[in-house]
Amino acid sequence: MSKEGFTLWFTGWSGAGKTTIAMAIEEELKKRKMGYVQRLDGDLVREYLCHDLGFSKEDRNENIRRATFVAEMLSKNGVITLVSFISPYRSLREYARIRCHNFTEIYVKCDRDILIERDVKGLYKKALANEISEFTGISDPYEEPLNPELVLDTGKEEVSESVNKVIKYLYEEQLI
Ligand SMILES: Nc1ncnc2c1ncn2[C@@H]1O[C@H](COP(=O)(O)OP(=O)(O)OP(=O)(O)O)[C@@H](O)[C@H]1O
Ligand SMILES: [Mg+2]
């Protein structure tokens, strides 16, 4: 069992692997019976909780404010909370850091060329062809984390390697 709730906040460009890694960690923590785990994923939150929001800076920030509100309640009440949002703006990640319990920022990094090649959702192709605007990394800013607790380079490491790094960190920090 984990001693208390904590928050793993995955940030990074689209397709970098935030959802993939958060899902694998959820599985790993459940297998180890570490307690209640709840994932908050950008795609699902946008569909249900933030349906009214778009991708302007104001809307992206409001999206993160709402996600933070939920993550704060969960993590303060003993739930292991895994949050995967592009969350491109530093100030809003700092806002989340202050509020969420035991906040760990994980920068899920990947070279742009690899992301364009992966193009899981077909969005890079569209963004590069100017078919979608406000696309992070192509036509919208991404402010790199300055002091993330962890950096995972998914262009260089396997999913299992990234997961192991996170689990090791959680043991070191005595969060699990
Ligand atoms: N080491 C790795 N870690 C994570 N994902 C990887 C890795 N290597 C390859 N991939 C692949 O990269 C893709 C990552 O997509 P994923 O949906 O997890 O990204 P995301 O960061 O959640 O993007 P979005 O912001 O659009 O939701 C998956 O298809 C995954 O299989
Ligand atoms: Mg995702």
Side-chain angles (χ1 to χ4, degrees):
M1 273 300 272
S2 68
K3 290 178 207 75
E4 50 182 323
F6 58 87
T7 310
L8 300 185
W9 191 283
F10 297 89
T11 173
W13 288 28
S14 177
K18 302 178 296 296
T19 301
T20 305
I21 293 169
M23 283 173 78
I25 288 168
E26 177 183 33
E27 202 179 315
E28 193 57 38
L29 292 172
K30 284 183 173 170
K31 205 163 75 189
R32 294 176 191 231
K33 301 199 184 323
M34 288 300 172
Y36 293 113
V37 182
Q38 180 64 58
R39 267 192 319 113
L40 285 179
D41 193 71
D43 285 349
L44 216 59
V45 168
R46 274 195 174 275
E47 193 176 339
Y48 293 97
L49 189 62
C50 300
H51 199 65
D52 53 321
L53 302 176
F55 293 89
S56 65
K57 183 172 185 181
E58 290 69 31
D59 280 9
R60 285 177 185 273
N61 286 348
E62 177 58 19
N63 189 36
I64 299 306
R65 247 179 247 119
R66 291 182 199 174
T68 299
F69 175 72
V70 180
E72 177 178 3
M73 287 199 292
L74 290 170
S75 59
K76 282 187 174 159
N77 284 292
V79 180
I80 298 172
T81 310
L82 312 180
V83 189
S84 41
F85 285 68
I86 294 175
S87 36
Y89 295 107
R90 230 170 254 147
S91 64
L92 266 287
R93 295 196 302 267
E94 290 311 307
Y95 172 89
R97 177 184 289 277
I98 292 163
R99 286 166 178 78
C100 298
H101 197 56
N102 288 329
F103 184 92
T104 298
E105 185 175 22
I106 303 176
Y107 179 20
V108 184
K109 196 175 176 174
C110 187
D111 284 349
R112 183 189 147 107
D113 293 350
I114 299 174
L115 290 174
I116 290 170
E117 201 178 307
R118 266 187 206 163
D119 210 5
V120 193
K121 298 177 179 170
L123 295 174
Y124 281 95
K125 191 165 173 255
K126 288 187 181 162
L128 288 166
N130 291 322
E131 286 166 27
I132 359 177
S133 58
E134 298 174 318
F135 191 78
T136 299
I138 306 296
S139 45
D140 221 43
Y142 179 79
E143 297 174 354
E144 284 201 303
L146 298 176
N147 283 306
E149 278 77 7
L150 284 169
V151 180
L152 308 172
D153 190 337
T154 70
K156 298 203 174 84
E157 53 198 59
E158 297 294 325
V159 179
S160 59
E161 261 180 281
S162 302
V163 171
N164 288 342
K165 269 194 190 172
V166 176
I167 298 289
K168 183 168 172 273
Y169 176 85
L170 295 175
Y171 275 112
E172 280 168 5
E173 296 298 313
Q174 302 191 340
L175 288 166
I176 57 174

PDB file of all heavy atoms in Angstrom, residues 5-28:
ATOM      1  N   GLY A   5      -1.582   9.609  -0.597  1.00  0.00           N
ATOM      2  CA  GLY A   5      -1.809   9.921  -2.001  1.00  0.00           C
ATOM      3  C   GLY A   5      -0.651  10.707  -2.587  1.00  0.00           C
ATOM      4  O   GLY A   5       0.128  11.333  -1.873  1.00  0.00           O
ATOM      5  N   PHE A   6      -0.521  10.630  -3.886  1.00  0.00           N
ATOM      6  CA  PHE A   6       0.463  11.463  -4.581  1.00  0.00           C
ATOM      7  C   PHE A   6      -0.001  11.694  -6.012  1.00  0.00           C
ATOM      8  O   PHE A   6      -0.943  11.060  -6.487  1.00  0.00           O
ATOM      9  CB  PHE A   6       1.872  10.852  -4.520  1.00  0.00           C
ATOM     10  CG  PHE A   6       2.016   9.472  -5.101  1.00  0.00           C
ATOM     11  CD1 PHE A   6       2.264   9.272  -6.449  1.00  0.00           C
ATOM     12  CD2 PHE A   6       1.932   8.357  -4.272  1.00  0.00           C
ATOM     13  CE1 PHE A   6       2.422   7.999  -6.969  1.00  0.00           C
ATOM     14  CE2 PHE A   6       2.092   7.074  -4.786  1.00  0.00           C
ATOM     15  CZ  PHE A   6       2.336   6.898  -6.140  1.00  0.00           C
ATOM     16  N   THR A   7       0.675  12.640  -6.651  1.00  0.00           N
ATOM     17  CA  THR A   7       0.295  13.028  -8.014  1.00  0.00           C
ATOM     18  C   THR A   7       1.473  12.870  -8.948  1.00  0.00           C
ATOM     19  O   THR A   7       2.549  13.428  -8.695  1.00  0.00           O
ATOM     20  CB  THR A   7      -0.141  14.522  -8.038  1.00  0.00           C
ATOM     21  OG1 THR A   7      -1.104  14.744  -7.006  1.00  0.00           O
ATOM     22  CG2 THR A   7      -0.730  14.909  -9.388  1.00  0.00           C
ATOM     23  N   LEU A   8       1.283  12.116  -9.999  1.00  0.00           N
ATOM     24  CA  LEU A   8       2.297  12.073 -11.061  1.00  0.00           C
ATOM     25  C   LEU A   8       1.724  12.872 -12.219  1.00  0.00           C
ATOM     26  O   LEU A   8       0.674  12.518 -12.769  1.00  0.00           O
ATOM     27  CB  LEU A   8       2.584  10.628 -11.504  1.00  0.00           C
ATOM     28  CG  LEU A   8       3.108   9.668 -10.444  1.00  0.00           C
ATOM     29  CD1 LEU A   8       3.450   8.325 -11.090  1.00  0.00           C
ATOM     30  CD2 LEU A   8       4.332  10.231  -9.733  1.00  0.00           C
ATOM     31  N   TRP A   9       2.420  13.956 -12.564  1.00  0.00           N
ATOM     32  CA  TRP A   9       1.925  14.860 -13.607  1.00  0.00           C
ATOM     33  C   TRP A   9       2.801  14.678 -14.859  1.00  0.00           C
ATOM     34  O   TRP A   9       3.962  15.080 -14.878  1.00  0.00           O
ATOM     35  CB  TRP A   9       1.982  16.312 -13.119  1.00  0.00           C
ATOM     36  CG  TRP A   9       1.246  17.249 -14.028  1.00  0.00           C
ATOM     37  CD1 TRP A   9       1.670  17.727 -15.235  1.00  0.00           C
ATOM     38  CD2 TRP A   9      -0.053  17.803 -13.804  1.00  0.00           C
ATOM     39  NE1 TRP A   9       0.714  18.554 -15.789  1.00  0.00           N
ATOM     40  CE2 TRP A   9      -0.351  18.617 -14.922  1.00  0.00           C
ATOM     41  CE3 TRP A   9      -1.001  17.698 -12.768  1.00  0.00           C
ATOM     42  CZ2 TRP A   9      -1.559  19.319 -15.027  1.00  0.00           C
ATOM     43  CZ3 TRP A   9      -2.197  18.403 -12.890  1.00  0.00           C
ATOM     44  CH2 TRP A   9      -2.461  19.205 -14.007  1.00  0.00           C
ATOM     45  N   PHE A  10       2.226  14.068 -15.883  1.00  0.00           N
ATOM     46  CA  PHE A  10       2.955  13.819 -17.134  1.00  0.00           C
ATOM     47  C   PHE A  10       2.702  14.975 -18.091  1.00  0.00           C
ATOM     48  O   PHE A  10       1.552  15.266 -18.438  1.00  0.00           O
ATOM     49  CB  PHE A  10       2.472  12.514 -17.774  1.00  0.00           C
ATOM     50  CG  PHE A  10       2.724  11.294 -16.932  1.00  0.00           C
ATOM     51  CD1 PHE A  10       1.792  10.863 -15.991  1.00  0.00           C
ATOM     52  CD2 PHE A  10       3.900  10.580 -17.057  1.00  0.00           C
ATOM     53  CE1 PHE A  10       2.034   9.748 -15.196  1.00  0.00           C
ATOM     54  CE2 PHE A  10       4.149   9.457 -16.267  1.00  0.00           C
ATOM     55  CZ  PHE A  10       3.215   9.046 -15.329  1.00  0.00           C
ATOM     56  N   THR A  11       3.763  15.611 -18.513  1.00  0.00           N
ATOM     57  CA  THR A  11       3.642  16.707 -19.488  1.00  0.00           C
ATOM     58  C   THR A  11       4.526  16.416 -20.695  1.00  0.00           C
ATOM     59  O   THR A  11       5.536  15.713 -20.585  1.00  0.00           O
ATOM     60  CB  THR A  11       4.031  18.062 -18.837  1.00  0.00           C
ATOM     61  OG1 THR A  11       4.050  19.082 -19.850  1.00  0.00           O
ATOM     62  CG2 THR A  11       5.425  18.017 -18.197  1.00  0.00           C
ATOM     63  N   GLY A  12       4.143  16.930 -21.829  1.00  0.00           N
ATOM     64  CA  GLY A  12       4.953  16.738 -23.040  1.00  0.00           C
ATOM     65  C   GLY A  12       4.086  16.850 -24.286  1.00  0.00           C
ATOM     66  O   GLY A  12       2.852  16.910 -24.209  1.00  0.00           O
ATOM     67  N   TRP A  13       4.765  16.879 -25.420  1.00  0.00           N
ATOM     68  CA  TRP A  13       4.089  17.043 -26.711  1.00  0.00           C
ATOM     69  C   TRP A  13       3.108  15.888 -26.975  1.00  0.00           C
ATOM     70  O   TRP A  13       3.255  14.801 -26.408  1.00  0.00           O
ATOM     71  CB  TRP A  13       5.120  17.039 -27.839  1.00  0.00           C
ATOM     72  CG  TRP A  13       5.980  18.265 -27.919  1.00  0.00           C
ATOM     73  CD1 TRP A  13       6.329  19.091 -26.891  1.00  0.00           C
ATOM     74  CD2 TRP A  13       6.619  18.764 -29.091  1.00  0.00           C
ATOM     75  NE1 TRP A  13       7.152  20.087 -27.364  1.00  0.00           N
ATOM     76  CE2 TRP A  13       7.345  19.912 -28.707  1.00  0.00           C
ATOM     77  CE3 TRP A  13       6.654  18.363 -30.430  1.00  0.00           C
ATOM     78  CZ2 TRP A  13       8.095  20.661 -29.612  1.00  0.00           C
ATOM     79  CZ3 TRP A  13       7.397  19.103 -31.346  1.00  0.00           C
ATOM     80  CH2 TRP A  13       8.104  20.245 -30.933  1.00  0.00           C
ATOM     81  N   SER A  14       2.188  16.130 -27.881  1.00  0.00           N
ATOM     82  CA  SER A  14       1.253  15.086 -28.295  1.00  0.00           C
ATOM     83  C   SER A  14       2.033  13.905 -28.894  1.00  0.00           C
ATOM     84  O   SER A  14       2.963  14.107 -29.682  1.00  0.00           O
ATOM     85  CB  SER A  14       0.284  15.654 -29.339  1.00  0.00           C
ATOM     86  OG  SER A  14      -0.571  14.648 -29.797  1.00  0.00           O
ATOM     87  N   GLY A  15       1.664  12.726 -28.508  1.00  0.00           N
ATOM     88  CA  GLY A  15       2.309  11.519 -29.045  1.00  0.00           C
ATOM     89  C   GLY A  15       3.606  11.139 -28.355  1.00  0.00           C
ATOM     90  O   GLY A  15       4.223  10.130 -28.698  1.00  0.00           O
ATOM     91  N   ALA A  16       4.002  11.940 -27.367  1.00  0.00           N
ATOM     92  CA  ALA A  16       5.276  11.637 -26.692  1.00  0.00           C
ATOM     93  C   ALA A  16       5.175  10.358 -25.862  1.00  0.00           C
ATOM     94  O   ALA A  16       6.178   9.676 -25.627  1.00  0.00           O
ATOM     95  CB  ALA A  16       5.697  12.816 -25.816  1.00  0.00           C
ATOM     96  N   GLY A  17       3.955  10.054 -25.394  1.00  0.00           N
ATOM     97  CA  GLY A  17       3.786   8.801 -24.640  1.00  0.00           C
ATOM     98  C   GLY A  17       3.204   8.968 -23.242  1.00  0.00           C
ATOM     99  O   GLY A  17       3.259   8.045 -22.433  1.00  0.00           O
ATOM    100  N   LYS A  18       2.609  10.127 -22.964  1.00  0.00           N
ATOM    101  CA  LYS A  18       2.054  10.394 -21.624  1.00  0.00           C
ATOM    102  C   LYS A  18       0.990   9.361 -21.243  1.00  0.00           C
ATOM    103  O   LYS A  18       1.042   8.773 -20.167  1.00  0.00           O
ATOM    104  CB  LYS A  18       1.440  11.815 -21.574  1.00  0.00           C
ATOM    105  CG  LYS A  18       2.428  12.918 -21.909  1.00  0.00           C
ATOM    106  CD  LYS A  18       1.774  14.286 -21.905  1.00  0.00           C
ATOM    107  CE  LYS A  18       0.701  14.495 -22.954  1.00  0.00           C
ATOM    108  NZ  LYS A  18       1.181  14.429 -24.355  1.00  0.00           N
ATOM    109  N   THR A  19       0.032   9.153 -22.126  1.00  0.00           N
ATOM    110  CA  THR A  19      -1.064   8.215 -21.836  1.00  0.00           C
ATOM    111  C   THR A  19      -0.532   6.790 -21.752  1.00  0.00           C
ATOM    112  O   THR A  19      -0.862   6.047 -20.829  1.00  0.00           O
ATOM    113  CB  THR A  19      -2.151   8.329 -22.928  1.00  0.00           C
ATOM    114  OG1 THR A  19      -2.634   9.673 -22.938  1.00  0.00           O
ATOM    115  CG2 THR A  19      -3.300   7.369 -22.672  1.00  0.00           C
ATOM    116  N   THR A  20       0.300   6.420 -22.695  1.00  0.00           N
ATOM    117  CA  THR A  20       0.857   5.054 -22.736  1.00  0.00           C
ATOM    118  C   THR A  20       1.589   4.732 -21.442  1.00  0.00           C
ATOM    119  O   THR A  20       1.378   3.681 -20.840  1.00  0.00           O
ATOM    120  CB  THR A  20       1.840   4.932 -23.934  1.00  0.00           C
ATOM    121  OG1 THR A  20       1.135   5.315 -25.118  1.00  0.00           O
ATOM    122  CG2 THR A  20       2.390   3.532 -24.085  1.00  0.00           C
ATOM    123  N   ILE A  21       2.426   5.647 -20.995  1.00  0.00           N
ATOM    124  CA  ILE A  21       3.223   5.400 -19.786  1.00  0.00           C
ATOM    125  C   ILE A  21       2.342   5.448 -18.539  1.00  0.00           C
ATOM    126  O   ILE A  21       2.470   4.592 -17.655  1.00  0.00           O
ATOM    127  CB  ILE A  21       4.410   6.388 -19.705  1.00  0.00           C
ATOM    128  CG1 ILE A  21       5.382   6.082 -20.852  1.00  0.00           C
ATOM    129  CG2 ILE A  21       5.126   6.304 -18.366  1.00  0.00           C
ATOM    130  CD1 ILE A  21       6.466   7.119 -21.059  1.00  0.00           C
ATOM    131  N   ALA A  22       1.416   6.408 -18.488  1.00  0.00           N
ATOM    132  CA  ALA A  22       0.520   6.487 -17.315  1.00  0.00           C
ATOM    133  C   ALA A  22      -0.302   5.204 -17.188  1.00  0.00           C
ATOM    134  O   ALA A  22      -0.489   4.686 -16.082  1.00  0.00           O
ATOM    135  CB  ALA A  22      -0.390   7.707 -17.430  1.00  0.00           C
ATOM    136  N   MET A  23      -0.756   4.667 -18.298  1.00  0.00           N
ATOM    137  CA  MET A  23      -1.544   3.426 -18.265  1.00  0.00           C
ATOM    138  C   MET A  23      -0.696   2.255 -17.769  1.00  0.00           C
ATOM    139  O   MET A  23      -1.147   1.436 -16.968  1.00  0.00           O
ATOM    140  CB  MET A  23      -2.107   3.114 -19.658  1.00  0.00           C
ATOM    141  CG  MET A  23      -3.306   3.984 -20.009  1.00  0.00           C
ATOM    142  SD  MET A  23      -3.838   3.774 -21.713  1.00  0.00           S
ATOM    143  CE  MET A  23      -4.713   2.237 -21.558  1.00  0.00           C
ATOM    144  N   ALA A  24       0.536   2.197 -18.233  1.00  0.00           N
ATOM    145  CA  ALA A  24       1.437   1.110 -17.820  1.00  0.00           C
ATOM    146  C   ALA A  24       1.772   1.226 -16.331  1.00  0.00           C
ATOM    147  O   ALA A  24       1.875   0.212 -15.627  1.00  0.00           O
ATOM    148  CB  ALA A  24       2.705   1.143 -18.669  1.00  0.00           C
ATOM    149  N   ILE A  25       1.901   2.448 -15.851  1.00  0.00           N
ATOM    150  CA  ILE A  25       2.193   2.644 -14.425  1.00  0.00           C
ATOM    151  C   ILE A  25       0.973   2.290 -13.578  1.00  0.00           C
ATOM    152  O   ILE A  25       1.097   1.661 -12.529  1.00  0.00           O
ATOM    153  CB  ILE A  25       2.691   4.080 -14.164  1.00  0.00           C
ATOM    154  CG1 ILE A  25       4.107   4.208 -14.742  1.00  0.00           C
ATOM    155  CG2 ILE A  25       2.705   4.414 -12.675  1.00  0.00           C
ATOM    156  CD1 ILE A  25       4.616   5.594 -14.831  1.00  0.00           C
ATOM    157  N   GLU A  26      -0.185   2.666 -14.069  1.00  0.00           N
ATOM    158  CA  GLU A  26      -1.422   2.303 -13.361  1.00  0.00           C
ATOM    159  C   GLU A  26      -1.475   0.776 -13.187  1.00  0.00           C
ATOM    160  O   GLU A  26      -1.737   0.268 -12.090  1.00  0.00           O
ATOM    161  CB  GLU A  26      -2.630   2.779 -14.164  1.00  0.00           C
ATOM    162  CG  GLU A  26      -3.959   2.373 -13.545  1.00  0.00           C
ATOM    163  CD  GLU A  26      -5.154   2.801 -14.408  1.00  0.00           C
ATOM    164  OE1 GLU A  26      -5.036   2.828 -15.653  1.00  0.00           O
ATOM    165  OE2 GLU A  26      -6.207   3.092 -13.821  1.00  0.00           O
ATOM    166  N   GLU A  27      -1.207   0.079 -14.247  1.00  0.00           N
ATOM    167  CA  GLU A  27      -1.239  -1.389 -14.222  1.00  0.00           C
ATOM    168  C   GLU A  27      -0.232  -1.944 -13.208  1.00  0.00           C
ATOM    169  O   GLU A  27      -0.536  -2.811 -12.407  1.00  0.00           O
ATOM    170  CB  GLU A  27      -0.905  -1.896 -15.625  1.00  0.00           C
ATOM    171  CG  GLU A  27      -1.394  -3.300 -15.926  1.00  0.00           C
ATOM    172  CD  GLU A  27      -1.029  -3.681 -17.353  1.00  0.00           C
ATOM    173  OE1 GLU A  27      -1.238  -2.844 -18.256  1.00  0.00           O
ATOM    174  OE2 GLU A  27      -0.502  -4.772 -17.556  1.00  0.00           O
ATOM    175  N   GLU A  28       0.980  -1.383 -13.261  1.00  0.00           N
ATOM    176  CA  GLU A  28       2.052  -1.822 -12.378  1.00  0.00           C
ATOM    177  C   GLU A  28       1.696  -1.568 -10.904  1.00  0.00           C
ATOM    178  O   GLU A  28       1.909  -2.431 -10.049  1.00  0.00           O
ATOM    179  CB  GLU A  28       3.330  -1.056 -12.759  1.00  0.00           C
ATOM    180  CG  GLU A  28       4.614  -1.576 -12.186  1.00  0.00           C
ATOM    181  CD  GLU A  28       4.915  -3.032 -12.528  1.00  0.00           C
ATOM    182  OE1 GLU A  28       4.630  -3.458 -13.666  1.00  0.00           O
ATOM    183  OE2 GLU A  28       5.419  -3.741 -11.627  1.00  0.00           O
TER     184      GLU A  28
END
